[in-house]
mmCIF file of all heavy atoms in Angstrom:
data_model
loop_
_atom_site.group_PDB
_atom_site.id
_atom_site.type_symbol
_atom_site.label_atom_id
_atom_site.label_comp_id
_atom_site.label_asym_id
_atom_site.label_seq_id
_atom_site.Cartn_x
_atom_site.Cartn_y
_atom_site.Cartn_z
ATOM 1 N N LEU A 536 6.823 -5.101 0.711
ATOM 2 C CA LEU A 536 6.157 -5.288 -0.573
ATOM 3 C C LEU A 536 6.901 -4.555 -1.688
ATOM 4 O O LEU A 536 6.309 -4.142 -2.681
ATOM 5 C CB LEU A 536 4.704 -4.816 -0.488
ATOM 6 C CG LEU A 536 3.833 -5.604 0.493
ATOM 7 C CD1 LEU A 536 3.504 -4.779 1.726
ATOM 8 C CD2 LEU A 536 2.552 -6.082 -0.161
ATOM 9 N N ASP A 537 8.203 -4.416 -1.529
ATOM 10 C CA ASP A 537 9.004 -3.721 -2.528
ATOM 11 C C ASP A 537 8.892 -4.414 -3.885
ATOM 12 O O ASP A 537 8.974 -5.642 -3.978
ATOM 13 C CB ASP A 537 10.474 -3.675 -2.097
ATOM 14 C CG ASP A 537 10.664 -2.990 -0.753
ATOM 15 O OD1 ASP A 537 9.930 -2.029 -0.482
ATOM 16 O OD2 ASP A 537 11.545 -3.421 0.019
ATOM 17 N N HIS A 538 8.678 -3.611 -4.934
ATOM 18 C CA HIS A 538 8.607 -4.096 -6.315
ATOM 19 C C HIS A 538 7.453 -5.071 -6.553
ATOM 20 O O HIS A 538 7.433 -5.772 -7.571
ATOM 21 C CB HIS A 538 9.926 -4.768 -6.734
ATOM 22 C CG HIS A 538 11.121 -3.881 -6.595
ATOM 23 N ND1 HIS A 538 11.469 -2.936 -7.534
ATOM 24 C CD2 HIS A 538 12.047 -3.774 -5.599
ATOM 25 C CE1 HIS A 538 12.556 -2.296 -7.134
ATOM 26 N NE2 HIS A 538 12.930 -2.776 -5.964
ATOM 27 N N ALA A 539 6.490 -5.122 -5.650
ATOM 28 C CA ALA A 539 5.324 -6.000 -5.839
ATOM 29 C C ALA A 539 4.295 -5.304 -6.731
ATOM 30 O O ALA A 539 4.337 -4.099 -6.950
ATOM 31 C CB ALA A 539 4.708 -6.361 -4.496
ATOM 32 N N ASN A 540 3.348 -6.096 -7.245
ATOM 33 C CA ASN A 540 2.269 -5.555 -8.064
ATOM 34 C C ASN A 540 0.952 -5.719 -7.307
ATOM 35 O O ASN A 540 0.445 -6.830 -7.162
ATOM 36 C CB ASN A 540 2.201 -6.272 -9.414
ATOM 37 C CG ASN A 540 1.226 -5.606 -10.376
ATOM 38 O OD1 ASN A 540 0.402 -4.774 -9.979
ATOM 39 N ND2 ASN A 540 1.305 -5.961 -11.646
ATOM 40 N N LEU A 541 0.421 -4.585 -6.821
ATOM 41 C CA LEU A 541 -0.848 -4.571 -6.100
ATOM 42 C C LEU A 541 -1.899 -3.758 -6.857
ATOM 43 O O LEU A 541 -2.802 -3.180 -6.281
ATOM 44 C CB LEU A 541 -0.667 -3.988 -4.693
ATOM 45 C CG LEU A 541 -0.045 -4.899 -3.616
ATOM 46 C CD1 LEU A 541 1.461 -4.999 -3.787
ATOM 47 C CD2 LEU A 541 -0.354 -4.393 -2.219
ATOM 48 N N SER A 542 -1.788 -3.737 -8.161
ATOM 49 C CA SER A 542 -2.726 -2.963 -8.961
ATOM 50 C C SER A 542 -4.159 -3.455 -8.742
ATOM 51 O O SER A 542 -4.422 -4.659 -8.725
ATOM 52 C CB SER A 542 -2.380 -3.082 -10.454
ATOM 53 O OG SER A 542 -1.094 -2.577 -10.709
ATOM 54 N N ALA A 543 -5.062 -2.497 -8.557
ATOM 55 C CA ALA A 543 -6.501 -2.769 -8.439
ATOM 56 C C ALA A 543 -6.860 -3.688 -7.272
ATOM 57 O O ALA A 543 -7.874 -4.378 -7.309
ATOM 58 C CB ALA A 543 -7.053 -3.332 -9.753
ATOM 59 N N ILE A 544 -6.023 -3.708 -6.205
ATOM 60 C CA ILE A 544 -6.397 -4.511 -5.044
ATOM 61 C C ILE A 544 -7.581 -3.871 -4.313
ATOM 62 O O ILE A 544 -7.854 -2.685 -4.445
ATOM 63 C CB ILE A 544 -5.233 -4.677 -4.042
ATOM 64 C CG1 ILE A 544 -4.826 -3.315 -3.450
ATOM 65 C CG2 ILE A 544 -4.072 -5.404 -4.661
ATOM 66 C CD1 ILE A 544 -4.010 -3.421 -2.188
ATOM 67 N N ARG A 545 -8.263 -4.677 -3.541
ATOM 68 C CA ARG A 545 -9.299 -4.184 -2.644
ATOM 69 C C ARG A 545 -8.692 -4.174 -1.246
ATOM 70 O O ARG A 545 -8.591 -5.201 -0.587
ATOM 71 C CB ARG A 545 -10.530 -5.085 -2.709
ATOM 72 C CG ARG A 545 -11.225 -5.056 -4.061
ATOM 73 C CD ARG A 545 -12.275 -6.138 -4.189
ATOM 74 N NE ARG A 545 -13.334 -5.986 -3.198
ATOM 75 C CZ ARG A 545 -14.335 -6.863 -3.050
ATOM 76 N NH1 ARG A 545 -14.378 -7.945 -3.806
ATOM 77 N NH2 ARG A 545 -15.265 -6.655 -2.142
ATOM 78 N N GLY A 546 -8.282 -2.966 -0.814
ATOM 79 C CA GLY A 546 -7.580 -2.856 0.461
ATOM 80 C C GLY A 546 -8.272 -1.939 1.442
ATOM 81 O O GLY A 546 -7.600 -1.278 2.242
ATOM 82 N N TRP A 547 -9.586 -1.891 1.382
ATOM 83 C CA TRP A 547 -10.338 -1.020 2.283
ATOM 84 C C TRP A 547 -9.997 -1.342 3.743
ATOM 85 O O TRP A 547 -10.007 -2.494 4.164
ATOM 86 C CB TRP A 547 -11.841 -1.210 2.060
ATOM 87 C CG TRP A 547 -12.712 -0.417 2.974
ATOM 88 C CD1 TRP A 547 -13.052 0.902 2.865
ATOM 89 C CD2 TRP A 547 -13.345 -0.900 4.168
ATOM 90 N NE1 TRP A 547 -13.861 1.277 3.907
ATOM 91 C CE2 TRP A 547 -14.059 0.201 4.725
ATOM 92 C CE3 TRP A 547 -13.380 -2.130 4.826
ATOM 93 C CZ2 TRP A 547 -14.793 0.084 5.900
ATOM 94 C CZ3 TRP A 547 -14.104 -2.249 5.989
ATOM 95 C CH2 TRP A 547 -14.806 -1.152 6.510
ATOM 96 N N ALA A 548 -9.626 -0.299 4.476
ATOM 97 C CA ALA A 548 -9.383 -0.390 5.916
ATOM 98 C C ALA A 548 -8.286 -1.393 6.290
ATOM 99 O O ALA A 548 -8.285 -1.926 7.400
ATOM 100 C CB ALA A 548 -10.673 -0.730 6.665
ATOM 101 N N LEU A 549 -7.335 -1.636 5.388
ATOM 102 C CA LEU A 549 -6.230 -2.521 5.772
ATOM 103 C C LEU A 549 -5.261 -1.783 6.692
ATOM 104 O O LEU A 549 -5.254 -0.560 6.771
ATOM 105 C CB LEU A 549 -5.507 -3.077 4.547
ATOM 106 C CG LEU A 549 -4.749 -2.190 3.558
ATOM 107 C CD1 LEU A 549 -3.421 -1.693 4.113
ATOM 108 C CD2 LEU A 549 -4.475 -2.944 2.271
ATOM 109 N N PHE A 550 -4.430 -2.537 7.388
ATOM 110 C CA PHE A 550 -3.455 -1.989 8.330
ATOM 111 C C PHE A 550 -2.055 -2.261 7.775
ATOM 112 O O PHE A 550 -1.672 -3.410 7.622
ATOM 113 C CB PHE A 550 -3.608 -2.635 9.706
ATOM 114 C CG PHE A 550 -4.961 -2.449 10.324
ATOM 115 C CD1 PHE A 550 -5.985 -3.357 10.077
ATOM 116 C CD2 PHE A 550 -5.222 -1.357 11.143
ATOM 117 C CE1 PHE A 550 -7.240 -3.181 10.639
ATOM 118 C CE2 PHE A 550 -6.473 -1.170 11.706
ATOM 119 C CZ PHE A 550 -7.482 -2.086 11.453
ATOM 120 N N ALA A 551 -1.323 -1.195 7.449
ATOM 121 C CA ALA A 551 0.014 -1.375 6.893
ATOM 122 C C ALA A 551 0.998 -0.376 7.488
ATOM 123 O O ALA A 551 1.896 0.127 6.808
ATOM 124 C CB ALA A 551 -0.027 -1.246 5.370
ATOM 125 N N GLN A 552 0.851 -0.095 8.771
ATOM 126 C CA GLN A 552 1.769 0.829 9.427
ATOM 127 C C GLN A 552 3.199 0.267 9.359
ATOM 128 O O GLN A 552 3.435 -0.901 9.674
ATOM 129 C CB GLN A 552 1.371 1.047 10.880
ATOM 130 C CG GLN A 552 0.029 1.743 11.059
ATOM 131 C CD GLN A 552 -1.114 0.782 11.272
ATOM 132 O OE1 GLN A 552 -1.131 -0.291 10.679
ATOM 133 N NE2 GLN A 552 -2.060 1.148 12.125
ATOM 134 N N GLY A 553 4.122 1.126 8.915
ATOM 135 C CA GLY A 553 5.525 0.721 8.869
ATOM 136 C C GLY A 553 5.873 -0.236 7.741
ATOM 137 O O GLY A 553 7.001 -0.726 7.684
ATOM 138 N N ALA A 554 4.941 -0.508 6.840
ATOM 139 C CA ALA A 554 5.216 -1.416 5.726
ATOM 140 C C ALA A 554 6.035 -0.707 4.648
ATOM 141 O O ALA A 554 6.074 0.521 4.572
ATOM 142 C CB ALA A 554 3.918 -1.947 5.136
ATOM 143 N N ARG A 555 6.683 -1.488 3.782
ATOM 144 C CA ARG A 555 7.517 -0.944 2.715
ATOM 145 C C ARG A 555 6.913 -1.271 1.357
ATOM 146 O O ARG A 555 6.650 -2.438 1.046
ATOM 147 C CB ARG A 555 8.940 -1.500 2.805
ATOM 148 C CG ARG A 555 9.730 -0.939 3.978
ATOM 149 C CD ARG A 555 11.110 -1.537 4.071
ATOM 150 N NE ARG A 555 11.806 -1.505 2.785
ATOM 151 C CZ ARG A 555 13.059 -1.921 2.624
ATOM 152 N NH1 ARG A 555 13.741 -2.389 3.655
ATOM 153 N NH2 ARG A 555 13.628 -1.871 1.444
ATOM 154 N N PHE A 556 6.709 -0.208 0.557
ATOM 155 C CA PHE A 556 6.140 -0.332 -0.783
ATOM 156 C C PHE A 556 7.051 0.346 -1.808
ATOM 157 O O PHE A 556 6.584 0.991 -2.722
ATOM 158 C CB PHE A 556 4.760 0.319 -0.831
ATOM 159 C CG PHE A 556 3.717 -0.300 0.068
ATOM 160 C CD1 PHE A 556 3.575 0.115 1.389
ATOM 161 C CD2 PHE A 556 2.858 -1.280 -0.415
ATOM 162 C CE1 PHE A 556 2.601 -0.430 2.211
ATOM 163 C CE2 PHE A 556 1.881 -1.834 0.399
ATOM 164 C CZ PHE A 556 1.749 -1.409 1.708
ATOM 165 N N THR A 557 8.347 0.203 -1.681
ATOM 166 C CA THR A 557 9.278 0.879 -2.569
ATOM 167 C C THR A 557 9.128 0.361 -4.001
ATOM 168 O O THR A 557 9.197 -0.845 -4.249
ATOM 169 C CB THR A 557 10.732 0.664 -2.105
ATOM 170 O OG1 THR A 557 10.853 1.092 -0.753
ATOM 171 C CG2 THR A 557 11.702 1.453 -2.973
ATOM 172 N N GLN A 558 8.878 1.291 -4.941
ATOM 173 C CA GLN A 558 8.687 0.977 -6.356
ATOM 174 C C GLN A 558 7.589 -0.060 -6.586
ATOM 175 O O GLN A 558 7.643 -0.864 -7.525
ATOM 176 C CB GLN A 558 10.007 0.523 -6.998
ATOM 177 C CG GLN A 558 11.078 1.613 -6.992
ATOM 178 C CD GLN A 558 12.333 1.216 -7.735
ATOM 179 O OE1 GLN A 558 12.277 0.548 -8.756
ATOM 180 N NE2 GLN A 558 13.485 1.620 -7.205
ATOM 181 N N THR A 559 6.596 -0.026 -5.735
ATOM 182 C CA THR A 559 5.468 -0.949 -5.839
ATOM 183 C C THR A 559 4.403 -0.375 -6.759
ATOM 184 O O THR A 559 4.153 0.822 -6.778
ATOM 185 C CB THR A 559 4.881 -1.208 -4.439
ATOM 186 O OG1 THR A 559 5.892 -1.793 -3.626
ATOM 187 C CG2 THR A 559 3.687 -2.149 -4.492
ATOM 188 N N ARG A 560 3.720 -1.241 -7.498
ATOM 189 C CA ARG A 560 2.627 -0.821 -8.371
ATOM 190 C C ARG A 560 1.298 -0.932 -7.613
ATOM 191 O O ARG A 560 0.926 -2.013 -7.159
ATOM 192 C CB ARG A 560 2.583 -1.675 -9.635
ATOM 193 C CG ARG A 560 3.791 -1.507 -10.551
ATOM 194 C CD ARG A 560 3.589 -2.253 -11.856
ATOM 195 N NE ARG A 560 2.378 -1.797 -12.547
ATOM 196 C CZ ARG A 560 1.916 -2.359 -13.669
ATOM 197 N NH1 ARG A 560 2.559 -3.383 -14.211
ATOM 198 N NH2 ARG A 560 0.826 -1.886 -14.238
ATOM 199 N N LEU A 561 0.624 0.216 -7.502
ATOM 200 C CA LEU A 561 -0.666 0.278 -6.804
ATOM 201 C C LEU A 561 -1.683 1.069 -7.630
ATOM 202 O O LEU A 561 -2.589 1.699 -7.090
ATOM 203 C CB LEU A 561 -0.477 0.931 -5.430
ATOM 204 C CG LEU A 561 0.297 0.100 -4.402
ATOM 205 C CD1 LEU A 561 1.191 0.974 -3.542
ATOM 206 C CD2 LEU A 561 -0.666 -0.678 -3.517
ATOM 207 N N GLU A 562 -1.560 0.994 -8.947
ATOM 208 C CA GLU A 562 -2.475 1.735 -9.803
ATOM 209 C C GLU A 562 -3.910 1.259 -9.597
ATOM 210 O O GLU A 562 -4.190 0.056 -9.628
ATOM 211 C CB GLU A 562 -2.105 1.569 -11.283
ATOM 212 C CG GLU A 562 -0.740 2.100 -11.659
ATOM 213 C CD GLU A 562 0.331 1.031 -11.666
ATOM 214 O OE1 GLU A 562 0.115 -0.024 -11.030
ATOM 215 O OE2 GLU A 562 1.383 1.258 -12.295
ATOM 216 N N GLY A 563 -4.813 2.203 -9.358
ATOM 217 C CA GLY A 563 -6.216 1.860 -9.194
ATOM 218 C C GLY A 563 -6.542 1.082 -7.932
ATOM 219 O O GLY A 563 -7.645 0.538 -7.794
ATOM 220 N N ALA A 564 -5.607 1.023 -6.994
ATOM 221 C CA ALA A 564 -5.844 0.276 -5.749
ATOM 222 C C ALA A 564 -6.836 1.007 -4.854
ATOM 223 O O ALA A 564 -6.847 2.232 -4.793
ATOM 224 C CB ALA A 564 -4.533 0.069 -4.999
ATOM 225 N N ASP A 565 -7.681 0.262 -4.177
ATOM 226 C CA ASP A 565 -8.591 0.842 -3.193
ATOM 227 C C ASP A 565 -7.945 0.731 -1.820
ATOM 228 O O ASP A 565 -7.918 -0.344 -1.222
ATOM 229 C CB ASP A 565 -9.935 0.118 -3.207
ATOM 230 C CG ASP A 565 -10.925 0.712 -2.204
ATOM 231 O OD1 ASP A 565 -10.605 1.752 -1.585
ATOM 232 O OD2 ASP A 565 -12.021 0.144 -2.034
ATOM 233 N N LEU A 566 -7.437 1.860 -1.332
ATOM 234 C CA LEU A 566 -6.820 1.929 -0.007
ATOM 235 C C LEU A 566 -7.588 2.910 0.870
ATOM 236 O O LEU A 566 -7.031 3.491 1.798
ATOM 237 C CB LEU A 566 -5.355 2.342 -0.129
ATOM 238 C CG LEU A 566 -4.428 1.349 -0.843
ATOM 239 C CD1 LEU A 566 -3.087 1.983 -1.162
ATOM 240 C CD2 LEU A 566 -4.242 0.088 -0.009
ATOM 241 N N SER A 567 -8.852 3.075 0.586
ATOM 242 C CA SER A 567 -9.660 3.990 1.383
ATOM 243 C C SER A 567 -9.743 3.494 2.822
ATOM 244 O O SER A 567 -9.847 2.294 3.082
ATOM 245 C CB SER A 567 -11.070 4.112 0.793
ATOM 246 O OG SER A 567 -11.683 2.852 0.633
ATOM 247 N N PHE A 568 -9.642 4.436 3.750
ATOM 248 C CA PHE A 568 -9.698 4.165 5.191
ATOM 249 C C PHE A 568 -8.533 3.303 5.685
ATOM 250 O O PHE A 568 -8.553 2.804 6.807
ATOM 251 C CB PHE A 568 -11.024 3.514 5.586
ATOM 252 C CG PHE A 568 -12.222 4.396 5.390
ATOM 253 C CD1 PHE A 568 -12.891 4.416 4.170
ATOM 254 C CD2 PHE A 568 -12.682 5.214 6.414
ATOM 255 C CE1 PHE A 568 -13.988 5.236 3.971
ATOM 256 C CE2 PHE A 568 -13.776 6.041 6.224
ATOM 257 C CZ PHE A 568 -14.435 6.047 5.003
ATOM 258 N N ALA A 569 -7.507 3.122 4.851
ATOM 259 C CA ALA A 569 -6.353 2.307 5.266
ATOM 260 C C ALA A 569 -5.496 3.046 6.279
ATOM 261 O O ALA A 569 -5.441 4.275 6.307
ATOM 262 C CB ALA A 569 -5.514 1.935 4.052
ATOM 263 N N ARG A 570 -4.791 2.298 7.117
ATOM 264 C CA ARG A 570 -3.875 2.841 8.102
ATOM 265 C C ARG A 570 -2.454 2.631 7.587
ATOM 266 O O ARG A 570 -1.950 1.505 7.581
ATOM 267 C CB ARG A 570 -4.089 2.158 9.467
ATOM 268 C CG ARG A 570 -5.475 2.406 10.053
ATOM 269 C CD ARG A 570 -5.678 3.879 10.377
ATOM 270 N NE ARG A 570 -6.985 4.171 10.950
ATOM 271 C CZ ARG A 570 -8.019 4.655 10.274
ATOM 272 N NH1 ARG A 570 -7.906 4.885 8.971
ATOM 273 N NH2 ARG A 570 -9.162 4.912 10.864
ATOM 274 N N LEU A 571 -1.833 3.724 7.127
ATOM 275 C CA LEU A 571 -0.554 3.645 6.433
ATOM 276 C C LEU A 571 0.528 4.510 7.076
ATOM 277 O O LEU A 571 1.523 4.854 6.439
ATOM 278 C CB LEU A 571 -0.742 4.079 4.966
ATOM 279 C CG LEU A 571 -1.818 3.328 4.174
ATOM 280 C CD1 LEU A 571 -2.085 4.009 2.833
ATOM 281 C CD2 LEU A 571 -1.422 1.872 3.966
ATOM 282 N N SER A 572 0.362 4.848 8.339
ATOM 283 C CA SER A 572 1.342 5.698 9.020
ATOM 284 C C SER A 572 2.719 5.038 9.039
ATOM 285 O O SER A 572 2.847 3.817 9.217
ATOM 286 C CB SER A 572 0.886 5.980 10.451
ATOM 287 O OG SER A 572 -0.325 6.710 10.451
ATOM 288 N N ASN A 573 3.751 5.870 8.822
ATOM 289 C CA ASN A 573 5.144 5.422 8.852
ATOM 290 C C ASN A 573 5.479 4.402 7.758
ATOM 291 O O ASN A 573 6.541 3.780 7.799
ATOM 292 C CB ASN A 573 5.516 4.839 10.226
ATOM 293 C CG ASN A 573 5.508 5.891 11.312
ATOM 294 O OD1 ASN A 573 6.301 6.826 11.289
ATOM 295 N ND2 ASN A 573 4.588 5.768 12.267
ATOM 296 N N ALA A 574 4.598 4.227 6.798
ATOM 297 C CA ALA A 574 4.900 3.340 5.666
ATOM 298 C C ALA A 574 5.791 4.079 4.674
ATOM 299 O O ALA A 574 5.884 5.301 4.681
ATOM 300 C CB ALA A 574 3.618 2.874 4.995
ATOM 301 N N ARG A 575 6.437 3.321 3.789
ATOM 302 C CA ARG A 575 7.345 3.902 2.809
ATOM 303 C C ARG A 575 6.883 3.526 1.404
ATOM 304 O O ARG A 575 6.828 2.341 1.062
ATOM 305 C CB ARG A 575 8.776 3.437 3.060
ATOM 306 C CG ARG A 575 9.259 3.715 4.485
ATOM 307 C CD ARG A 575 10.740 3.407 4.648
ATOM 308 N NE ARG A 575 11.561 4.406 3.981
ATOM 309 C CZ ARG A 575 12.020 5.500 4.581
ATOM 310 N NH1 ARG A 575 11.722 5.739 5.859
ATOM 311 N NH2 ARG A 575 12.773 6.361 3.920
ATOM 312 N N PHE A 576 6.551 4.563 0.628
ATOM 313 C CA PHE A 576 6.078 4.387 -0.739
ATOM 314 C C PHE A 576 7.023 5.084 -1.724
ATOM 315 O O PHE A 576 6.591 5.630 -2.725
ATOM 316 C CB PHE A 576 4.678 4.987 -0.887
ATOM 317 C CG PHE A 576 3.571 4.221 -0.211
ATOM 318 C CD1 PHE A 576 3.269 4.458 1.128
ATOM 319 C CD2 PHE A 576 2.829 3.278 -0.906
ATOM 320 C CE1 PHE A 576 2.238 3.781 1.758
ATOM 321 C CE2 PHE A 576 1.799 2.590 -0.279
ATOM 322 C CZ PHE A 576 1.498 2.840 1.051
ATOM 323 N N GLU A 577 8.316 5.071 -1.461
ATOM 324 C CA GLU A 577 9.239 5.776 -2.333
ATOM 325 C C GLU A 577 9.168 5.227 -3.761
ATOM 326 O O GLU A 577 9.259 4.022 -3.988
ATOM 327 C CB GLU A 577 10.677 5.662 -1.823
ATOM 328 C CG GLU A 577 10.974 6.528 -0.604
ATOM 329 C CD GLU A 577 10.855 5.764 0.698
ATOM 330 O OE1 GLU A 577 10.279 4.651 0.677
ATOM 331 O OE2 GLU A 577 11.332 6.266 1.734
ATOM 332 N N ALA A 578 8.985 6.153 -4.731
ATOM 333 C CA ALA A 578 8.935 5.818 -6.160
ATOM 334 C C ALA A 578 7.843 4.804 -6.488
ATOM 335 O O ALA A 578 7.928 4.082 -7.482
ATOM 336 C CB ALA A 578 10.297 5.311 -6.644
#
C-alpha cells in the first residue's frame, strides 16, 4: 500500500501482518485492534 491514501478508513481488527505502508496517508484512520506485526510504515 505504498503511497496509497487510507485517510479515515474503518480498519477495526484488520489483519495486515507484513504489509507495506511506505509514505502512506492514514490520517484519522481507525486501526484499533488491528494486527500489524512486521508491517512497514516508514515515513
Side-chain angles (χ1 to χ4, degrees):
L536 297 108
D537 302 324
H538 303 279
N540 188 346
L541 282 77
S542 299
I544 64 163
R545 294 169 61 184
W547 177 80
L549 64 74
F550 301 89
Q552 295 96 324
R555 288 178 49 177
F556 297 88
T557 305
Q558 297 185 37
T559 299
R560 294 187 58 185
L561 290 143
E562 298 96 340
D565 181 6
L566 295 168
S567 54
F568 295 88
R570 297 295 180 261
L571 305 170
S572 297
N573 293 296
R575 305 187 73 91
F576 288 87
E577 286 96 345

